[in-house]
Amino acid sequence: MSLVSTDQAKADTQKYDLVFVWDKDLNSVLDYKEELETLFEPDTSKHLKIVKRDNQYGVIYDCNASLQAILKVIVKHGAVLQEAGLDQAFAVQDKGYHELFNVSYGYGPNLDAMKKNYQIIYTYLGKSVGKDLYIEQDEKENYMLVYRRNGDRSSTLVVAKRHGRLLRKKGIKTTITEELNNQVVYGESTYLHGEEEIQPASKNEEIAVLPTITAQQTPSLVVLRPEKLKVAIHGNAAKALTPEAIAPVTKPPKTTAELSKASNSHIEKKIERYIKQLRKKGKIRGDEKTGWMVYDLNRDISLVDINADQTFQAASMIKPFLALAFFHEVRQGRLIYGPESRRKMEAMIQRSSNSATNWVMRQIGGPATCQRLLTRHYSNLFKQLHIVEYIPQGGRTYRNKALPSDYIRFLRALWNKELPNSKEIRRLMSLPGRDRLYYGTPIPQGTLVYNKTGTTAHLCGDMGILAPKTKNSERFPYAIVGIIERSSRPSNYKQWMQSRGGVIRQVSTLVYEDLKKKHTLL
């Protein structure tokens, strides 16, 4: 056998994976993986894994392919990456790095049982575990309760044994499992949201309650759901009801002019100084504009108003608006919120799936219909909303736009339960993900988080509600919006996304620290 044929035979037996990035910072790599998951279809995304080589972490596409096959994968994925402005991937032999491991506290088909154990572990093991405690779902639709430690095998085994001793009296056993990139279905923010929803229902909930009284009966109550019910019985007479007739009477959200502004806001000046320093150091370029808003939902007053009425690209932050449009049509009886639409909505909000987003838009009637519906029925929320396109391949959505103040008005109405199916929109926005307002900041564990990030090659942003606790164990909710948009594409997308995401996290930290001093937050 010739030397050439021997080398070829050896190459044919070797297995290769695709590498998207290597970096010493695990959080940066996790952020990048989440961004990749928005670009690729689920069949590809589920094979993305975090691995470690020496002192670096990497995102790989775990395909174990021959050299010839991996070259085809590089070409296929390369077009998507180039369209999104991301660096090209490259092949690496399936060796020289190792899998990462998590602590597991149980596996099986019973989600309710997992949630009960989640509560025990969350309260028993403390904040070092709670922020990274998740319930995952695998391809077999079984659930696994894990502490996403992303550590090596030996150190994770030590942690698992220690947790096992602590939880033995609770009847919870521990083991370790590879990081498999399973879908997350439950986390800290979801758990806290559920705990809050146990509280008595708000008077603004989307339910109408009408008395039913006859001569032979004592008064009773009938619960009506607008999207389903067409007829209510008053005694022996039937009266047709339209969805509008049984919709609750709610306090309309304030218009732009009615958003009260605090005078001489100290935190606004602090943010302005911080951004000015970054510009002076060249860490924010001259072709980048920023928008910041902070709104105290308790006192109903704006604390920060920086470029609040300038138009910015919306990116994925527009997706909760699409959820509102969908639920408006559900209330009108024109759409049904069933298992399929629920899965699509979760994919759109939690995993920022572009294909799921386009599915939602198609159900409503397309971008133009979404635009007309929201600006007609919710003109008190949206002042400069532009929904003009489906999400293009590669996620390069630059034409859909909104104002920072549009997000604030939406979030205010959401918190006050003034929107169709507010409870479900809040649940969707509480599903765990790597936000830029809470995750990676010193804001304490136990803070309620409802958010939606947005990222393109031109924009990095986040909008949401944070509700930390005060020393009196009460919630102090405030809405916060941070957007950085540039006119040109960065030469290093990963570095730019990481840097600007860090700026938003720092601004969120500044806001929290200022509020902590004034309102005795934990």
Side-chain angles (χ1 to χ4, degrees):
M1 182 181 292
S2 68
L3 181 61
V4 174
S5 60
T6 301
D7 291 342
Q8 182 63 48
K10 184 178 179 181
D12 290 341
T13 60
Q14 291 176 340
K15 300 300 180 182
Y16 293 83
D17 293 322
L18 202 61
V19 175
F20 294 94
V21 65
W22 288 108
D23 197 289
K24 292 182 179 180
D25 182 34
L26 176 59
N27 281 324
S28 174
V29 172
L30 290 169
D31 284 344
Y32 198 70
K33 180 175 77 72
E34 187 163 284
E35 186 65 20
L36 291 169
E37 288 173 337
T38 68
L39 301 178
F40 297 117
E41 292 300 315
D43 286 345
T44 298
S45 295
K46 68 184 180 183
H47 292 293
L48 297 178
K49 296 180 69 173
I50 303 291
V51 297
K52 190 174 184 182
R53 180 185 66 185
D54 299 326
N55 65 339
Q56 288 190 318
Y57 298 92
V59 181
I60 68 166
Y61 177 54
D62 190 22
C63 47
N64 299 321
S66 66
L67 182 59
Q68 185 178 9
I70 201 70
L71 291 175
K72 293 180 180 178
V73 176
I74 289 175
V75 172
K76 178 183 176 182
H77 289 176
V80 176
L81 295 169
Q82 183 177 12
E83 185 73 13
L86 274 64
D87 295 336
Q88 293 297 304
F90 55 92
V92 64
Q93 285 190 29
D94 185 21
K95 63 179 183 179
Y97 55 83
H98 60 83
E99 309 287 342
L100 299 181
F101 290 84
N102 299 322
V103 179
S104 172
Y105 308 94
Y107 177 82
N110 191 331
L111 178 58
D112 288 337
M114 291 292 173
K115 289 180 179 179
K116 289 179 181 178
N117 283 348
Y118 184 102
Q119 180 179 8
I120 293 171
I121 295 168
Y122 183 89
T123 56
Y124 201 67
L125 295 185
K127 61 179 66 177
S128 61
V129 173
K131 267 192 175 183
D132 295 308
L133 188 65
Y134 299 101
I135 299 176
E136 304 175 342
Q137 185 177 34
D138 64 13
E139 293 179 336
K140 297 179 180 179
E141 297 190 349
N142 284 321
Y143 300 96
M144 184 186 298
L145 177 52
V146 300
Y147 165 38
R148 281 194 166 180
R149 188 172 181 275
N150 288 310
D152 60 70
R153 178 188 287 271
S154 59
S155 66
T156 304
L157 187 59
V158 170
V159 173
K161 289 180 178 179
R162 184 170 69 248
H163 288 185
R165 290 193 295 270
L166 293 171
L167 295 169
R168 186 175 301 151
K169 292 182 180 179
K170 303 293 182 180
I172 298 175
K173 297 181 179 180
T174 62
T175 184
I176 66 171
T177 180
E178 289 183 15
E179 168 54 55
L180 299 173
N181 196 32
N182 289 325
Q183 178 184 340
V184 174
V185 298
Y186 196 85
E188 181 190 37
S189 55
T190 332
Y191 166 66
L192 294 173
H193 168 74
E195 291 290 296
E196 292 293 317
E197 290 298 329
I198 294 175
Q199 303 300 320
S202 164
K203 64 183 179 180
N204 288 329
E205 286 294 340
E206 297 81 11
I207 297 175
V209 182
L210 301 178
T212 300
I213 305 174
T214 69
Q216 293 78 28
Q217 294 176 321
T218 56
S220 59
L221 295 179
V222 176
V223 178
L224 306 180
R225 296 195 179 277
E227 65 271 23
K228 298 291 185 182
L229 193 59
K230 300 299 181 183
V231 177
I233 304 298
H234 289 261
N236 295 322
K239 179 181 178 181
L241 294 177
T242 64
E244 291 82 359
I246 59 177
V249 177
T250 62
K251 177 183 176 182
K254 293 185 178 183
T255 63
T256 305
E258 293 172 323
L259 286 178
S260 303
K261 179 69 165 61
S263 59
N264 299 318
S265 171
H266 173 71
I267 186 58
E268 179 173 296
K269 294 178 180 178
K270 187 179 291 187
I271 293 172
E272 286 178 331
R273 286 197 300 270
Y274 173 62
I275 299 302
K276 187 175 181 179
Q277 290 171 359
L278 293 178
R279 290 192 184 280
K280 188 175 181 179
K281 295 176 182 178
K283 294 185 177 180
I284 291 183
R285 292 163 45 105
D287 69 339
E288 294 178 82
K289 63 177 183 177
T290 70
W292 310 95
M293 283 201 76
V294 179
Y295 198 86
D296 182 337
L297 293 166
N298 267 346
R299 295 184 296 163
D300 210 8
I301 192 170
S302 178
L303 304 177
V304 177
D305 186 344
I306 301 173
N307 296 329
D309 291 317
Q310 284 194 27
T311 301
F312 289 81
Q313 294 172 12
S316 292
M317 291 184 292
I318 209 166
K319 292 172 182 178
F321 298 172
L322 300 176
L324 168 59
F326 188 94
F327 287 125
H328 176 91
E329 294 296 86
V330 170
R331 170 175 280 186
Q332 301 306 311
R334 290 188 283 266
L335 290 175
I336 295 174
Y337 190 52
E340 182 182 16
S341 52
R342 179 185 168 109
R343 286 193 299 270
K344 296 290 187 181
M345 203 74 76
E346 289 175 344
M348 178 177 76
I349 301 297
Q350 182 188 18
R351 300 189 295 281
S352 209
S353 166
N354 294 325
S355 59
T357 302
N358 290 338
W359 183 92
V360 170
M361 276 200 276
R362 282 195 297 271
Q363 306 313 302
I364 299 167
T369 302
C370 292
Q371 167 78 18
R372 286 194 302 270
L373 186 156
L374 291 173
T375 53
R376 176 184 176 187
H377 296 282
Y378 303 93
S379 59
N380 49 357
L381 302 182
F382 306 116
K383 300 303 176 182
Q384 289 292 331
L385 181 63
H386 299 281
I387 304 177
V388 298
E389 66 175 350
Y390 288 104
I391 309 298
Q393 184 178 7
R396 291 179 60 189
T397 173
Y398 304 141
R399 298 172 58 207
N400 296 329
K401 298 182 179 182
L403 305 175
S405 59
D406 285 343
Y407 299 118
I408 289 293
R409 284 185 292 270
F410 169 83
L411 292 168
R412 178 188 177 277
L414 180 67
W415 180 258
N416 292 329
K417 302 181 181 179
E418 297 169 347
L419 305 177
N421 219 339
S422 290
K423 180 178 178 180
E424 178 64 2
I425 297 176
R426 288 197 307 275
R427 185 192 72 83
L428 292 166
M429 293 180 69
S430 77
L431 291 171
R434 295 186 61 78
D435 64 84
R436 296 170 178 136
L437 303 176
Y438 168 68
Y439 200 95
T441 75
I443 298 173
Q445 181 195 17
T447 297
L448 271 173
V449 181
Y450 304 98
N451 88 293
K452 185 69 194 78
T453 59
T455 315
T456 69
H458 290 258
L459 181 135
C460 182
D462 205 342
M463 66 93 162
I465 295 170
L466 299 182
K469 282 191 173 182
T470 68
K471 291 181 179 179
N472 295 327
S473 296
E474 297 175 346
R475 291 288 177 189
F476 185 89
Y478 59 95
I480 178 169
V481 176
I483 304 172
I484 303 173
E485 181 184 323
R486 58 181 292 157
S487 59
S488 59
R489 294 173 64 161
S491 57
N492 187 324
Y493 174 85
K494 172 185 162 293
Q495 185 180 57
W496 182 82
M497 180 188 68
Q498 177 184 355
S499 169
R500 280 22 176 207
V503 171
I504 295 172
R505 287 186 172 105
Q506 182 58 33
V507 169
S508 184
T509 300
L510 291 174
V511 171
Y512 172 78
E513 290 176 345
D514 188 80
L515 294 173
K516 179 180 179 180
K517 294 176 182 177
K518 295 177 180 177
H519 302 284
T520 64
L521 305 184
L522 292 177

